[in-house]
Amino acid sequence: MRTPFIAGNWKMYFTAAETAAFVAQIRDQLNQIEGVDVAFCAPFINIPTLAEAVAGTKIGVGAQNMYFEESGAYTGEIAPGMLVPFCQYVILGHSERRAYFGETDEGVNRKIKAALQHGLTPIVCVGESLEQNEAGETVDFVSGQVRAAFAGIAAEQAVQCVIAYEPIWAIGTGKTASAEQAGEIIGTAVRATLADVYSQETAETIRIQYGGSVKPANIAELMAQPDIDGALVGGASLKPDFVDLVRNAV
Ligand code: 13P
């Protein structure tokens, strides 16, 4: 059985003080919800604050990006080993990183390998644009992103990863893919590709999240889809009723 996994992506929101205050407000309620893994992914500078605020709870800590090199002259970057003392998770290849910061499939692949080497769980993001969706290219494109992300990664390592399918047109727009649509793409473009690259058994082990305008009101129908194992949540993870979202996921 794949344990449901709800992760909040706080993007470029919250100061350190807001991080501490928000977590203090919801941590005990979140900690009591059983049968689901929960994590928040904070901006780098707030990660130690987040880690301290969730200490002693089941709430996990993640980063939103990292560089693949161990160390070196890479101004402004963060190495995997720098995250390890604080984080269990790292989001890699988010569509905002790909669109605004020039991240490529090849770079994402190198980052996944580096994260795995350090025992971090990558949350690997894939998803098509509105134009691709309307042109009927979704399955081919997303499947290609999955293949590129996992190139040269062994099955034993792939099962350590989480994948988030986030259609770009559904991010922050209030438009959600219908639960059936999301479940079908995750099944046909993500899980079937993993089965082709590895094996059906390996594909069945990997947790796949949906992301894009997930809210307390729509999480239950998304989770009812057999191939959807959780959600990567943006805006709704910054509000106290994120607790209801997590509760409604189980
Ligand atoms: P929203 O939930 O705000 O649409 O963001 C989704 C997302 O990009 C999570 O990584």
Side-chain angles (χ1 to χ4, degrees), residues 103-127:
E103 296 219 8
T104 62
D105 279 341
E106 193 206 343
V108 172
N109 173 255
R110 293 184 72 171
K111 290 182 177 192
I112 297 168
K113 288 173 177 163
L116 289 166
Q117 255 166 28
H118 285 267
L120 293 162
T121 297
I123 301 175
V124 181
C125 299
V126 295

Side-chain angles (χ1 to χ4, degrees), residues 3-59:
T3 306
F5 177 33
I6 307 293
N9 173 8
W10 284 344
K11 307 194 177 185
M12 201 173 70
Y13 293 104
F14 283 167
T15 62
E18 286 164 347
T19 299
F22 181 72
V23 174
Q25 194 182 353
I26 59 165
R27 62 167 244 162
D28 293 341
Q29 287 169 279
L30 271 184
N31 196 39
Q32 281 162 15
I33 307 172
E34 287 176 15
V36 58
D37 293 339
V38 184
F40 292 117
C41 301
F44 290 130
I45 196 166
N46 296 331
I47 288 173
T49 304
L50 170 62
E52 198 184 316
V54 301
T57 73
K58 62 178 257 178
I59 304 165

Side-chain angles (χ1 to χ4, degrees), residues 9 11 91 94-96 125 166 170-174 211-214 232-236:
N9 173 8
K11 307 194 177 185
I91 298 173
H94 192 281
S95 61
E96 289 150 16
C125 299
E166 302 200 300
I171 296 177
T173 57
S213 299
V214 177
L232 186 56
V233 184

